[in-house]
Amino acid sequence: MCSNHTLVRCNENHTLVRCNEKDRETLLTFKQGINDSFGMISTWSTEKDCCSWEGVHCDNITGRVIEIDLKGEPFDGVHDPVKVLKGEMNFCILELEFLSYLDLSFNEFDVISIPSIQNNITHSSNLFYLDLHPPTFTLHMDNLDWLSPHSSLKYLNLSWIDLHKETNWLQIVNSLPSLLELELSGCNLNNFPSVEYLNLPSLVTLSLSFNNFTSHIPDGFFNLTKDLTSLDLSYSNIHGEIPSSLLNLQNLRQLHLSNNQLQGSIPSTLGNLSSLISLSIGSNNFSGEISQFFFSKLSSLNHLDLSNSNFEFQFDLDWVPPFQLHTLSLNNITQGPNFPSWIYTQKSLQNLDISSAGISLVDRYKFSSLIERISFYIVLSNNSIAEDISNLTLNCSVLRLDHNNFTGGLPNLSPKPAIVDLSYNSFSRSIPHSWKNLSELRVMNLWNNKLSGELPLYISNWKELQDMNLGKNEFSGNIPVGMSQNLRVVILRANKFEGIIPRQLFNLSYLFHLDLAHNKLSGSLPHFVYNLTQMDTDHVDLWYDTTIDLFTKGQYYVCDVNPDRRTIDLSANHLTGEVPLELFRLVQVQSLNLSHNSFKGTIPKTIGGMKKMESLDLSNNKFFGEIPQSMALLNFLGVLNLSCNNFDGKIPTGTQLQSRDASSYIGNPKLCGAPLNNCTITEENPKTAMPSTENEDDESIKESLYLGMGVGFAAGFWGICGSLFLIRKWRHAYFRFIYGVGNRLYVTLMVKLNSFRRS
């Protein structure tokens, strides 16, 4: 047997081999700068042979390190990262003499360290596979000179590493004669260096997408290699026309030029690239006519993107293409009103996007058959299709039919969907029972339909659900208690929900947008420790490629789902009681609307800690007491409405409070101060108040007045009190007279006093 501590590899003759000491020291040096909070390389210790360390593979005979596979596993949008390395990526690891394979991709290093010895490597490098690309744009590298010793490289991936300072990237890559695949996507490259004397005869895959080339592609660029099979220049700001040299790449199978500034008409010879499997030329400035004859030789095509184009499509109604597509993108084209008939012939289609194409007419039978067999994504958004698809069962993972005129009940769904957006249609009835097993569902948007009935209890089965938007329908009954713990967006606005708000909603640690406004909810808010982590910490997980209808600052907005936008809206319900202090401790909330309820109590001073607040509406409730001075600390407050409550005292001094229109405070009879300007009590500063003869004179006048009034009252009382007590008419007239005289006397006295003070 092999020992677990010092010997880990056995060759075919069962000879035991040890890890090379020099390799072990190099690996430990690499480890020193790493932050391994996920325990990814926790096995890298002197107690174990380095050939048994996580991700390290040694030669069975020599014991030398030949492969290192430490590929990270970043977050998937729901869960935290499974394992990633952080800190320093030390290129000392490239000094391993027999290393042939190194994968450090999808980690979160923030700095690259290149030892000076790396530029003077004397041994012949065996490295043929090198992948360093991070999951996001976080790393910077000034030059690529360190690549020169590694002439045996066949695969090189530096995508998403900032290389904008390296102006000779192509010449350095040219020093790698064995290179088969080059991935430099998202490297912030901004120029095409001179292509003269360059030659990359082995290159078959080249990806330069997501860069910022503000120039034309050099005419001779595609003469660098004749065997190129995959070319990706999408999202790179490339200008001009398609170079003629590109049309000579007869082995090209994948051509991605989408989302650039290319212009002119499509060269007809592009249709001669008969090996093409994937063609993506959408989102450019191409124009002119494109007809079925362009595709006559493209029998192998299975991916086609012509989206966001100004082409004039000239296809016969009975045209049957020579290909069977897997993916088709025709969004944002001038197509309608008829759904393109040739798409019905695509029996292998698994991805279809023909949104914003002006389509209103479909062949009901063929259309139904088409969308039922698509298994990945269907995007038909922003058309005018008015069909009843309630009898269909859809099997796709992504379903976007929003902004159409679909009628009838909701379609049946298989358990596969992850994203379902059926908003802005005319769907009616209740949620079908077939939706019970949507175990993969993450986004559900049914906003603005005519759906009704109670929410089924089986929504507790949707464990992965993140965004739930059921607003502007006619749902009724109670809000279900059991819902996904992964919920980040909950919108039930403008329905007929009643009963109390389940306390579980305030225990969702990922929740950052809660909108229950305009329902019939009653009762008080639960008093317990709110576990709304996203609402009270700076931690932000992820943004999503979907939108929500956000009501804030008195207006509707359609915006991307983003945890930086944190909102709570419970307005226009029948909620009562005091607002729990915990709600005012959610310091990251930017929009809070509790208006049009029956909340009572005071505003706590802790509201001053909600310093990111942009919109606060507490109007039309029963709040009372003074407005806390701490509200003046809300420096980003753009909308404030405290009207129609029972607040009293003076509005605190502060730009954020005094600069409001008076409408922010009206309907609080006992509230005064700017901008209301109706305070009648003169405030006196006790520290500056000084005794004066003026005050003494005031007191003397008051004493004389009171004494005279007393004597007059006594004489009048005993003179006529008997008559008053006996004759009721006289008694009423007397008191009316005394009341009027008293009022006039008081007013005259106050005028005299004020005049006396001024003099």
Side-chain angles (χ1 to χ4, degrees):
M1 292 181 63
C2 296
S3 167
N4 290 330
H5 297 285
T6 59
L7 307 171
V8 298
R9 292 285 192 235
C10 300
N11 62 14
E12 293 179 355
N13 297 321
H14 303 286
T15 304
L16 303 179
V17 294
R18 297 175 181 270
C19 168
N20 179 270
E21 181 63 21
K22 183 179 179 181
D23 290 354
R24 187 177 71 88
E25 292 299 326
T26 300
L27 291 173
L28 289 176
T29 301
F30 171 74
K31 179 185 177 182
Q32 287 177 0
I34 293 177
N35 174 8
D36 183 27
S37 58
F38 293 90
M40 190 171 173
I41 55 175
S42 58
T43 59
W44 288 32
S45 68
T46 56
E47 298 178 357
K48 291 185 178 183
D49 187 275
C50 73
C51 291
S52 67
W53 292 353
E54 175 82 14
V56 177
H57 302 279
C58 298
D59 183 270
N60 285 341
I61 298 176
T62 65
R64 301 303 297 264
V65 175
I66 57 174
E67 293 184 11
I68 297 178
D69 187 354
L70 293 175
K71 183 176 183 178
E73 297 180 14
F75 51 77
D76 61 3
V78 179
H79 308 99
D80 290 331
V82 178
K83 57 178 184 178
V84 292
L85 299 176
K86 299 182 179 182
E88 178 186 73
M89 181 192 293
N90 193 331
F91 273 15
C92 70
I93 201 169
L94 295 176
E95 297 169 15
L96 295 168
E97 292 182 57
F98 293 90
L99 186 66
S100 61
Y101 183 101
L102 176 60
D103 190 346
L104 299 177
S105 62
F106 289 103
N107 286 295
E108 298 178 5
F109 297 108
D110 52 22
V111 65
I112 296 175
S113 174
I114 304 178
S116 57
I117 188 175
Q118 176 61 31
N119 296 321
N120 299 306
I121 294 178
T122 56
H123 66 266
S124 177
S125 173
N126 296 301
L127 194 65
F128 75 85
Y129 185 100
L130 179 60
D131 192 343
L132 305 179
H133 88 279
T136 56
F137 197 75
T138 56
L139 283 172
H140 300 262
M141 190 181 293
D142 291 346
N143 64 75
L144 296 176
D145 295 338
W146 57 272
L147 274 174
S148 299
H150 305 288
S151 58
S152 59
L153 273 172
K154 294 184 177 180
Y155 177 91
L156 176 61
N157 192 341
L158 303 179
S159 295
W160 304 108
I161 297 177
D162 189 346
L163 299 175
H164 79 276
K165 292 185 178 180
E166 177 54 87
T167 58
N168 295 317
W169 58 273
L170 191 54
Q171 284 86 341
I172 294 173
V173 168
N174 190 59
S175 67
L176 307 174
S178 301
L179 201 61
L180 296 175
E181 185 167 346
L182 177 61
E183 303 278 351
L184 295 178
S185 295
C187 291
N188 205 15
L189 300 173
N190 52 34
N191 72 311
F192 278 103
S194 172
V195 297
E196 190 175 6
Y197 307 120
L198 295 181
N199 189 26
L200 294 170
S202 301
L203 197 66
V204 295
T205 298
L206 175 62
S207 180
L208 299 175
S209 60
F210 293 95
N211 282 291
N212 190 29
F213 300 115
T214 56
S215 61
H216 297 231
I217 305 174
D219 289 337
F221 182 76
F222 298 108
N223 293 329
L224 299 176
T225 177
K226 296 181 179 179
D227 297 324
L228 203 64
T229 61
S230 178
L231 175 64
D232 189 352
L233 297 176
S234 58
Y235 293 92
S236 287
N237 200 28
I238 297 172
H239 291 65
E241 298 183 350
I242 295 178
S244 57
S245 59
L246 185 149
L247 305 175
N248 297 325
L249 301 175
Q250 291 299 314
N251 294 324
L252 206 58
R253 296 167 62 85
Q254 297 183 0
L255 176 58
H256 297 160
L257 302 176
S258 62
N259 292 274
N260 282 293
Q261 304 296 324
L262 294 170
Q263 59 189 21
S265 58
I266 297 295
S268 59
T269 49
L270 185 62
N272 293 331
L273 301 178
S274 57
S275 298
L276 278 178
I277 293 175
S278 178
L279 176 61
S280 179
I281 56 176
S283 300
N284 279 287
N285 296 321
F286 293 127
S287 59
E289 182 180 300
I290 188 167
S291 70
Q292 62 201 51
F293 301 105
F294 176 84
F295 300 98
S296 60
K297 297 181 180 179
L298 303 182
S299 58
S300 299
L301 203 63
N302 70 11
H303 176 105
L304 178 61
D305 177 9
L306 301 176
S307 59
N308 296 291
S309 299
N310 294 318
F311 294 124
E312 294 181 21
F313 292 92
Q314 300 291 333
F315 299 134
D316 292 341
L317 292 178
D318 57 352
W319 177 54
V320 178
F323 49 73
Q324 282 293 319
L325 295 176
H326 180 275
T327 299
L328 174 61
S329 296
L330 293 176
N331 54 295
N332 241 348
I333 63 170
T334 305
Q335 171 61 48
N338 290 298
F339 190 90
S341 58
W342 66 268
I343 299 179
Y344 296 137
T345 69
Q346 301 301 294
K347 306 300 182 183
S348 301
L349 199 61
Q350 300 304 309
N351 305 286
L352 173 63
D353 185 349
I354 190 168
S355 55
S356 302
I359 295 173
S360 58
L361 302 176
V362 301
D363 182 307
R364 180 170 300 176
Y365 173 77
K366 293 180 179 179
F367 177 77
S368 299
S369 177
L370 174 69
I371 64 174
E372 276 194 311
R373 65 175 177 259
I374 293 178
S375 65
F376 189 61
Y377 69 74
I378 301 174
V379 184
L380 301 176
S381 310
N382 296 293
N383 285 291
S384 301
I385 303 173
E387 288 293 317
D388 183 342
I389 56 173
S390 58
N391 62 332
L392 303 184
T393 299
L394 304 182
N395 299 289
C396 55
S397 297
V398 176
L399 178 62
R400 296 184 183 272
L401 306 182
D402 56 286
H403 293 83
N404 276 282
N405 297 320
F406 286 104
T407 61
L410 295 168
N412 297 304
L413 298 178
S414 72
K416 290 179 57 176
I419 297 177
V420 175
D421 187 350
L422 305 178
S423 61
Y424 290 99
N425 279 286
S426 296
F427 289 111
S428 58
R429 307 173 201 167
S430 58
I431 296 178
H433 186 73
S434 64
W435 290 31
K436 179 178 181 180
N437 298 316
L438 302 182
S439 58
E440 303 297 322
L441 188 63
R442 296 192 178 187
V443 176
M444 175 191 284
N445 189 351
L446 302 179
W447 173 270
N448 199 12
N449 279 282
K450 300 176 181 178
L451 299 166
S452 60
E454 297 187 6
L455 293 187
L457 296 178
Y458 61 66
I459 69 170
S460 59
N461 297 341
W462 304 340
K463 303 294 185 183
E464 301 297 327
L465 189 61
Q466 300 171 37
D467 302 348
M468 181 172 69
N469 186 350
L470 308 181
K472 294 196 73 173
N473 281 285
E474 298 175 10
F475 290 116
S476 58
N478 295 331
I479 299 175
V481 173
M483 287 192 280
S484 168
Q485 291 299 304
N486 292 311
L487 278 168
R488 310 186 181 206
V489 173
V490 175
I491 302 176
L492 304 179
R493 184 186 190 90
N495 280 285
K496 299 177 182 179
F497 290 110
E498 56 189 12
I500 64 172
I501 300 175
R503 60 182 294 170
Q504 286 81 358
L505 278 179
F506 298 97
N507 200 31
L508 299 173
S509 58
Y510 296 111
L511 189 70
F512 58 80
H513 183 81
L514 176 63
D515 188 349
L516 307 180
H518 291 270
N519 280 286
K520 299 178 180 180
L521 300 171
S522 59
S524 59
L525 297 182
H527 288 259
F528 71 107
V529 178
Y530 287 11
N531 190 29
L532 300 173
T533 308
Q534 286 279 31
M535 299 280 198
D536 65 7
T537 68
D538 284 323
H539 177 64
V540 174
D541 276 342
L542 190 63
W543 59 269
Y544 309 93
D545 185 20
T546 186
T547 61
I548 58 173
D549 294 85
L550 173 64
F551 186 84
T552 185
K553 300 182 181 180
Q555 298 183 51
Y556 273 108
Y557 299 89
V558 177
C559 57
D560 292 331
V561 171
N562 189 335
D564 275 336
R565 170 63 56 186
R566 293 146 180 175
T567 303
I568 297 177
D569 192 341
L570 307 179
S571 62
N573 280 287
H574 307 305
L575 300 172
T576 59
E578 294 188 358
V579 178
L581 188 62
E582 288 80 6
L583 191 65
F584 293 102
R585 288 176 176 163
L586 302 177
V587 296
Q588 299 297 324
V589 171
Q590 292 158 291
S591 180
L592 176 62
N593 191 344
L594 304 180
S595 65
H596 295 275
N597 281 288
S598 296
F599 288 121
K600 63 180 181 179
T602 60
I603 302 177
K605 295 179 180 179
T606 53
I607 195 173
M610 304 177 80
K611 294 185 178 180
K612 292 189 177 182
M613 186 74 72
E614 297 176 6
S615 178
L616 176 64
D617 192 344
L618 304 180
S619 63
N620 290 276
N621 278 287
K622 299 178 181 179
F623 290 112
F624 56 82
E626 295 186 350
I627 300 173
Q629 180 65 46
S630 62
M631 282 187 63
L633 300 175
L634 306 180
N635 295 325
F636 296 102
L637 203 58
V639 172
L640 174 65
N641 193 347
L642 303 180
S643 64
C644 300
N645 280 285
N646 296 311
F647 292 116
D648 57 37
K650 186 177 181 180
I651 298 171
T653 302
T655 304
Q656 293 301 315
L657 302 179
Q658 250 80 61
S659 62
R660 305 291 154 195
D661 187 88
S663 60
S664 296
Y665 303 103
I666 60 173
N668 292 281
K670 298 180 180 180
L671 192 63
C672 65
L676 296 180
N677 294 321
N678 62 344
C679 280
T680 58
I681 300 174
T682 302
E683 294 185 0
E684 182 178 49
N685 189 336
K687 293 182 180 180
T688 59
M690 298 291 290
S692 66
T693 57
E694 178 181 321
N695 291 339
E696 294 176 358
D697 292 340
D698 287 350
E699 292 300 321
S700 299
I701 293 174
K702 289 179 182 177
E703 290 177 3
S704 300
L705 173 67
Y706 296 153
L707 180 61
M709 288 177 65
V711 173
F713 172 77
F717 177 80
W718 291 113
I720 62 174
C721 63
S723 301
L724 292 176
F725 286 141
L726 295 174
I727 306 173
R728 187 171 66 174
K729 184 182 295 186
W730 286 19
R731 185 166 67 246
H732 288 176
Y734 172 76
F735 282 119
R736 284 196 299 270
F737 171 75
I738 291 298
Y739 181 76
V741 170
N743 279 342
R744 288 192 294 274
L745 182 61
Y746 176 78
V747 172
T748 301
L749 177 62
M750 290 299 101
V751 171
K752 292 290 185 182
L753 282 175
N754 289 332
S755 175
F756 181 80
R757 289 194 181 99
R758 286 195 297 271
S759 63

